[in-house]
Amino acid sequence: MSGLRIALAQLNYKIADFENNTSKIADAIFEAKQKKADLIVFSELSVCGYSPEDLLDYPWFVEKCEQSLEAVAMACDGIAAIVGGVMRNPNSKGRLLQNVCCFIHDGKIKHIVPKTLLPTYDVFNERRYFEPAQETSIIEYKGVRIGIAICEDLWDIYNDFEYAEHPGENLKKQGAQIIINPSASPFHIGKQSLRNRVFAGQASRFDLPVLYVNQVGTHTELIFDGSSRAINANGEVAVQLPGFAESIAYLQYEKGKFSEGESVPLESNDAALLYQSLVFGIRDYFKKMGFKSATFGASGGIDSAVIQALATAALGAENVHPILMPSMYSSDHSVQDALELSRRLDNSPITLPIEDIYTAYMDTLKPVFMNRPFSLAEENLQARSRAVLLMAISNKLGHILLNTSNKSEMSVGYSTLYGDLCGALSPMGDVYKTQVYALARYINRHQEIIPNNIIEKAPSAELRPGQKDQDSLPPYEVLDELLKNYIELRKGRDEIITLGYEPSTVDKVLNLVNNSEYKRYQAPPILRVSEKAFGKGRIMPLVARY
Amino acid sequence: MSGLRIALAQLNYKIADFENNTSKIADAIFEAKQKKADLIVFSELSVCGYSPEDLLDYPWFVEKCEQSLEAVAMACDGIAAIVGGVMRNPNSKGRLLQNVCCFIHDGKIKHIVPKTLLPTYDVFNERRYFEPAQETSIIEYKGVRIGIAICEDLWDIYNDFEYAEHPGENLKKQGAQIIINPSASPFHIGKQSLRNRVFAGQASRFDLPVLYVNQVGTHTELIFDGSSRAINANGEVAVQLPGFAESIAYLQYEKGKFSEGESVPLESNDAALLYQSLVFGIRDYFKKMGFKSATFGASGGIDSAVIQALATAALGAENVHPILMPSMYSSDHSVQDALELSRRLDNSPITLPIEDIYTAYMDTLKPVFMNRPFSLAEENLQARSRAVLLMAISNKLGHILLNTSNKSEMSVGYSTLYGDLCGALSPMGDVYKTQVYALARYINRHQEIIPNNIIEKAPSAELRPGQKDQDSLPPYEVLDELLKNYIELRKGRDEIITLGYEPSTVDKVLNLVNNSEYKRYQAPPILRVSEKAFGKGRIMPLVARY
């Protein structure tokens, strides 16, 4: 029986950066050939990055994609490669493009395998661009019958709905001895156990070994974690690649199974995973955008404290610039806590009090405000004055503004549009407040980095005297579970009430969420770490009866 | 041969407002029955509004939809009705929902016709939610063989790509004598001639009369113009309903054709159409959101002048509140022009100079800015100070902030994020600067409403001494054509250069457009009046190599 030495290339691509993506792929092919591999497998859409979105509407982009695949083919001699990209649909009907993997050998594209199942839900939009494959086929290479199933092609029975087509089943029927699954599978908390279920499930369903090769890297909101793996038909993991890092691994396929290779165990603690993913997300976003340094408003509260620790881990202490902007409503302990955190993280904070600015606004607005009582307008004025200062610093010094909002706030609209909702990136917009606390405790696991006082005090926006979050919201443990039921699990009002929540609380919270759609519409991109993040994965009408 | 008296119900629905949508439909059925119609036709997804987007992920929403269709059926006795809605997919495989039209008669849903072609491009997202129909069928009613083709079902050969399925052809083969096309077809400049081509084309292709019934109303970005019509097989329009207004019309189908009925001619002048659509768009957005009054920054420039005229036409003079916020760089004529416009439109402007606020910011920022030279930071500070004032007024008085940006600015990023890019709605974010001038001339067609000085002076942001737009941009006639080639026609750099543009100009402009994706990501919803508006119809990666 025949054998194959296979390289798994888990690499970080940048969208539309054909030159660098292609040379990265060529380098990996060169290395794999040196290391005597017979075949090297890259992830989905590797030459162009996943997902190029409406760049696919530009003919030059598709031509570049096809040219890159040809260029890779020419560099591929004495070894075979499976490389992902976009090609024109050869049929005269249907969408103009296909999401394909090329099987390359002897300097040529020998087979083009289009994707059959095109995910079009949540953050996925593939039916917007691609025509699905009409059939599957087997590639015979060095005596091994290889079936290629691209990403979703192996998730046919693992969705809210069951697809009508079953490409994996077809490959099995056509005599596949191994299923290769080049993927672009974004991370979220819980995704690992989902993948365990899918890959072990499919391996056992088809009684075949499965090779899953994912990309790694942040593409705006989406964090791709890699975590590629080779699974044998019995569900055993032969090789496990790391999360959140580029890696090329080698394994031997022989007698119908993968022999065990070197594995990097995956992190399984949720707080640790959250920390890893967010630090990686921030770092890769900055790197790909060509940014170096970050700034943010350091309030002395838990959210900005965790952002500061994440940013420092991602970018280095010298590149993180906390700005303290106390008002007349800021407590002394907030300022002290914020300064203490900067001392511990070795950041150099700047303090810019906003009282004079606030006074100038109130004086200017006197002809309009007259003697109307203090209201939301004055609270928002403070938050917005701070945002203007932060953006001025960003414009003048080139530091990139990080948003400090969390998902609980974003959900109920307890953030000021054009105020604390500003930022180039929202690292924690998909992290509930209770998870923010878990992150803080994780950051403090070896020593107290975030002052305990920040973790222990009652959360407050400090926009009016004595204000506390819990004055107008249920406790975060209750609120976050309620929000998860509504947002992640898409339960309706009545169903949530049957879970034991007070009807008045449910009505209040759901109204807050619905009536804040207009704020989230203008929110920064949010690093996605849950199954249902705000942003492109949750498209809600603004104008509707809620 | 048999005949039918048919009512075309072109109505304005609100998304998720089942109660009001259903009673509006029931009222129309009642009226049509009084007027002896045999059949009344409503538009696509009429019970729930088009498009409910991710509300469709909520089971309660789908149940409400089905219940509403049942409720409409019960109200429908002695007349037949075609009503659009969402229903669960009866098959065990595929997406869980279908976009359907129900044929209702004798108090019952007699036939359920699912949509075959699910548009998934530009602003359309239907593959995200729906499973397509597998086959078409004919409904026989009072001796007439009716074929129902829902919206896109008649656009099978009128796209950038040709669909593989041809539902209209199938209906013809199955013996249809008339094709009814309940639609949700959004407006843009040029859409009318596109529809002329499609409907006359299909009528003649199948040698059948076609009845197109569209909804009317603004759903956040999308303006549905109605403009429903009945076309005979020879392409002649038998009945034409108005644009941008609810209307129920009646016509007689006899001996294979529609007899001519009352028609409202459609506006064909582009500037007039633009004006109509934007006024309607603003008005309906405010109405559906429960808003009454608007505010905006009145700079004395052309953009805010046109916004002021549009808002006044949409909301009434007493509900439009221009705020003048001059700085040290504002010219006297700007202030005078803005005041003069308010006199003519009968608005009551308020003047709030921003110098004190600007000074307070600069004083506060001294420890950061030191003696660094005047730069973009100081320009943006002015724009953002104004936005904070406008939002404070909005928060205090409840006026809704209208964004005054145009598409040329939005394209090249010549607007300040969290500054003049603020607003709840951007009425002109899809209107190029040259079109803004055309709108101004249209507004002045009978008398000089917008002072000629505003139209004639060189456009300037007035954020530094002597600044003019054209210092750093090509003339708007050149810029706008270039932008159209890139954005609407999706031509690439090289292709645009072959049209005769300077390569350096093309590179500069394309770089500006690409590097402003991050600003547009956080821009307000934009009323869509072109084939390719920014917003949900143009999804570009932020992190990419451009």
Side-chain angles (χ1 to χ4, degrees), chain B residues 64-81:
Chain B
K64 282 264 194 188
C65 237
E66 293 179 336
Q67 288 162 5
S68 300
L69 288 166
E70 291 293 342
V72 168
M74 286 177 38
C76 192
D77 201 17
I79 180 172

Side-chain angles (χ1 to χ4, degrees), chain A residues 17 62 92 97 106 184 248 281 315 341 380 416 440 451 478 499 525:
Chain A
D17 194 356
V62 178
S92 65
L97 306 177
D106 287 338
I248 301 181
L315 308 172
L341 176 62
N380 284 342
T416 302
V478 176
L499 298 175

Side-chain angles (χ1 to χ4, degrees), chain A residues 9 50 100 142 158 176 198 208 334 342 348 364 378 426 444 536:
Chain A
Y50 187 98
V100 304
K142 297 205 170 182
Y158 292 94
V198 172
L208 287 179
S334 292
S342 281
S348 306
T364 302
E378 284 81 1
S426 171
N444 281 4
K536 68 170 66 171

Side-chain angles (χ1 to χ4, degrees), chain A residues 169-181:
Chain A
E169 256 174 48
N170 293 347
L171 291 172
K172 172 67 180 180
K173 281 182 201 150
Q174 292 171 313
Q177 294 171 301
I178 170 175
I179 291 183
I180 293 182
N181 181 232

Side-chain angles (χ1 to χ4, degrees), chain A residues 58 94 122 128 221 486 521, chain B residues 58 122 128 162 221 486 521:
Chain A
Y58 286 85
D122 192 62
R128 185 174 172 92
E221 300 95 331
Y486 187 54
Y521 190 101
Chain B
Y58 286 85
D122 193 63
R128 184 173 171 91
E162 186 183 327
E221 302 95 329
Y486 187 53
Y521 190 101

Side-chain angles (χ1 to χ4, degrees), chain A residues 295-498:
Chain A
T295 190
F296 64 95
S299 69
I302 181 94
D303 298 313
S304 61
V306 172
I307 286 287
Q308 186 167 343
L310 294 170
T312 299
L315 308 172
E318 71 283 10
N319 292 317
V320 176
H321 303 277
I323 314 293
L324 280 74
M325 294 167 291
S327 77
M328 41 291 174
Y329 305 118
S330 301
S331 54
D332 288 344
H333 68 77
S334 292
V335 174
Q336 291 318 315
D337 289 342
L339 291 173
E340 177 58 27
L341 176 62
S342 281
R343 263 191 296 277
R344 295 185 189 177
L345 286 173
D346 210 14
N347 306 132
S348 306
I350 295 173
T351 302
L352 304 175
I354 63 163
E355 282 193 55
D356 291 349
I357 294 166
Y358 181 79
T359 306
Y361 274 118
M362 291 303 288
D363 287 348
T364 302
L365 283 162
K366 213 162 259 170
V368 181
F369 280 20
M370 317 273 204
N371 293 320
R372 288 183 173 83
F374 186 101
S375 70
L376 186 68
E378 284 81 1
E379 294 190 27
N380 284 342
L381 246 180
Q382 298 165 58
R384 292 192 178 114
S385 299
R386 292 184 175 121
V388 174
L389 282 173
L390 290 167
M391 287 305 295
I393 292 168
S394 178
N395 286 159
K396 196 57 119 191
L397 305 181
H399 307 326
I400 299 304
L401 179 58
L402 289 177
N403 171 277
T404 54
S405 302
N406 63 60
K407 191 173 189 176
S408 309
E409 275 174 19
M410 288 251 190
S411 300
V412 296
Y414 276 33
S415 36
T416 302
L417 185 59
Y418 319 131
D420 52 309
L421 214 50
C422 289
L425 182 71
S426 171
M428 294 201 313
D430 197 28
V431 178
Y432 287 110
K433 190 81 172 188
T434 44
Q435 292 175 295
V436 176
Y437 283 103
L439 273 172
R441 286 188 299 267
Y442 177 79
I443 289 162
N444 281 4
R445 68 198 179 285
H446 298 311
Q447 62 185 109
E448 186 189 316
I449 292 169
I450 297 175
N452 279 332
N453 192 38
I454 290 181
I455 301 178
E456 283 155 16
K457 68 187 171 190
S460 165
E462 297 195 334
L463 294 170
R464 60 166 81 200
Q467 188 179 31
K468 295 276 174 290
D469 292 15
Q470 249 65 89
D471 295 346
S472 49
L473 287 176
Y476 279 116
E477 294 72 29
V478 176
L479 177 68
D480 287 358
E481 278 308 308
L482 204 168
L483 291 170
K484 257 183 237 174
N485 276 297
Y486 187 54
I487 296 163
E488 268 92 330
L489 304 178
R490 280 161 279 180
K491 290 186 177 148
R493 173 190 181 277
D494 297 345
E495 211 179 342
I496 295 174
I497 289 171
T498 62

Side-chain angles (χ1 to χ4, degrees), chain A residues 14-17 19-20 51-55 57-60 92-96 120-125 127-129 131 160-164 166 218-221 285 288-289 350 352-353 356-357 360-361 364-365 367-369 372-378 380-381 384-385 388-389 391-393 395-397 401 417-418 421-424 486-487 490-493 518 521-526 532 535-546, chain B residues 14-17 19-20 51-55 57-60 92-96 120-125 127-129 131 160-164 166 218-221 285 288-289 350 352-353 356-357 360-361 364-365 367-369 372-378 380-381 384-385 388-389 391-393 395-397 401 417-418 421-424 486-487 490-493 518 521-526 532 535-546:
Chain A
K14 184 169 169 181
I15 290 167
D17 194 356
E19 211 174 305
N20 285 314
S51 161
E53 305 191 309
D54 285 4
L55 282 171
D57 288 345
Y58 286 85
W60 68 263
S92 65
K93 292 201 178 180
R95 306 306 294 252
L96 302 175
T120 304
Y121 53 78
D122 192 62
V123 299
F124 304 107
N125 228 344
R127 279 274 182 178
R128 185 174 172 92
Y129 309 106
E131 184 67 16
D160 285 346
F161 60 97
E162 185 182 327
Y163 283 101
H166 301 289
T218 309
H219 293 185
T220 313
E221 300 95 331
Y285 173 86
K288 284 186 175 143
M289 291 295 269
I350 295 173
L352 304 175
D356 291 349
I357 294 166
Y361 274 118
T364 302
L365 283 162
V368 181
F369 280 20
R372 288 183 173 83
F374 186 101
S375 70
L376 186 68
E378 284 81 1
N380 284 342
L381 246 180
R384 292 192 178 114
S385 299
V388 174
L389 282 173
M391 287 305 295
I393 292 168
N395 286 159
K396 196 57 119 191
L397 305 181
L401 179 58
L417 185 59
Y418 319 131
L421 214 50
C422 289
Y486 187 54
I487 296 163
R490 280 161 279 180
K491 290 186 177 148
R493 173 190 181 277
Y518 78 98
Y521 190 101
Q522 299 187 44
I526 294 169
K532 188 53 80 178
K536 68 170 66 171
R538 188 174 185 271
I539 306 169
M540 298 289 271
L542 291 196
V543 179
R545 173 164 186 176
Y546 282 113
Chain B
K14 184 169 170 181
I15 290 167
D17 194 354
E19 210 174 305
N20 285 313
S51 164
E53 305 190 309
D54 286 3
L55 281 171
D57 288 344
Y58 286 85
W60 68 262
S92 66
K93 292 200 178 181
R95 305 307 293 253
L96 301 176
T120 305
Y121 53 79
D122 193 63
V123 298
F124 304 107
N125 229 344
R127 279 274 184 179
R128 184 173 171 91
Y129 309 107
E131 184 67 16
D160 286 346
F161 60 97
E162 186 183 327
Y163 284 100
H166 301 289
T218 309
H219 293 185
T220 313
E221 302 95 329
Y285 172 85
K288 284 185 176 144
M289 292 293 271
I350 294 173
L352 305 175
D356 291 348
I357 293 165
Y361 274 118
T364 302
L365 283 162
V368 181
F369 279 20
R372 289 183 171 85
F374 186 100
S375 71
L376 186 68
E378 285 81 1
N380 284 343
L381 247 180
R384 293 192 178 115
S385 299
V388 174
L389 283 173
M391 288 305 295
I393 291 169
N395 286 158
K396 196 58 119 188
L397 305 181
L401 180 58
L417 185 58
Y418 319 130
L421 214 50
C422 290
Y486 187 53
I487 296 162
R490 280 162 279 180
K491 290 186 176 148
R493 172 190 181 275
Y518 78 98
Y521 190 101
Q522 298 186 45
I526 294 169
K532 189 53 80 178
K536 68 171 67 169
R538 188 174 185 271
I539 306 169
M540 298 289 271
L542 291 195
V543 179
R545 175 166 184 173
Y546 281 111

Side-chain angles (χ1 to χ4, degrees), chain A residues 218-293:
Chain A
T218 309
H219 293 185
T220 313
E221 300 95 331
L222 298 188
I223 301 170
F224 294 88
D225 59 326
S227 311
S228 306
R229 67 169 70 167
I231 309 105
N232 273 314
N234 62 4
E236 272 171 23
V237 177
V239 170
Q240 175 64 62
L241 273 70
F244 313 108
E246 289 192 310
S247 170
I248 301 181
Y250 294 84
L251 62 76
Q252 192 68 27
Y253 168 81
E254 207 93 51
K255 295 179 188 162
K257 62 180 299 221
F258 299 128
S259 44
E260 216 164 304
E262 260 185 81
S263 283
V264 182
L266 294 179
E267 180 60 63
S268 62
N269 173 280
D270 278 353
L273 255 180
L274 201 50
Y275 180 83
Q276 275 185 17
S277 59
L278 296 178
V279 168
F280 176 74
I282 295 169
R283 186 186 293 136
D284 205 43
Y285 173 86
F286 271 67
K287 190 175 162 205
K288 284 186 175 143
M289 291 295 269
F291 299 149
K292 198 168 165 250
S293 55

